[in-house]
């Protein structure tokens, strides 16, 4: 079940984060801050107490572009459509907030994530050199949201 994450979900979010990423992790303190921020929306997929994945969107005042800040699927649930379901819900949430585009960054070496987004009509429009903690470059992706006003 996908729901809006709250401070009560921080342990589940950290569980997914720590199992999914070797570096560039979001800390407990940062989760607490981001969950309390009015321009952030965090979706959590958890079934019967098992945290499966999460996604975080950032919104800026007076901007029609939403930013997918992070998305993670717990390794035990990879390949089960968790990320795709979170992404569909995020796109709808961005539309509801009046956004007409969604942008994100993906590591150059993360081919699985790149395929996920490209299969859903996200297109590479730029790069960031040395974007990640370990020096890895990032692809910049964007998708116009269908039904945008």
């Amino acid at each position: 079940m996908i729901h809006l994450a709250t401070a009560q979900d921080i342990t589940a979010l950290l569980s997914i984060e720590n199992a999914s990423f070797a570096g560039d992790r979001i800390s407990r303190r940062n989760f607490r801050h981001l969950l309390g921020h009015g321009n952030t929306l965090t979706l959590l997929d958890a079934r019967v107490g098992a945290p499966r994945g999460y996604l975080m969107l950032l919104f800026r005042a007076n901007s029609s572009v939403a930013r997918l800040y992070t998305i993670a699927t717990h390794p035990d649930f990879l390949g089960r459509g968790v990320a795709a379901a979170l992404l569909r819900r995020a796109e709808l949430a961005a539309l509801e907030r009046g956004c007409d585009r969604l942008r994100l960054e993906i590591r150059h070496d993360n081919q699985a994530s790149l395929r996920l987004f490209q299969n859903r009509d996200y297109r590479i429009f730029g790069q960031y050199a040395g974007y990640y903690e370990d020096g890895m470059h990032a692809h910049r992706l964007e998708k116009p949201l269908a039904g945008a006003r």
Side-chain angles (χ1 to χ4, degrees), residues 4 12 14 17 20 22 25 37 39 42 44 49 64 68-69 76 82 86 88 94 100 115 117 128 132 137 141 148:
L4 288 177
L14 281 169
E17 183 78 3
S20 300
R25 291 181 181 152
H37 194 270
N39 288 334
T42 304
L44 174 64
S64 63
L68 196 160
Y69 181 65
D76 292 346
V82 173
L86 286 165
R88 280 191 299 277
D100 62 11
R115 276 191 307 278
F117 288 98
Y128 284 132
Y132 291 96
H137 304 318
L141 283 82

Side-chain angles (χ1 to χ4, degrees), residues 67-86:
R67 179 169 176 233
L68 196 160
Y69 181 65
T70 186
I71 182 170
T73 300
H74 191 285
D76 292 346
F77 299 98
L78 290 172
R80 298 189 190 177
V82 173
L86 286 165

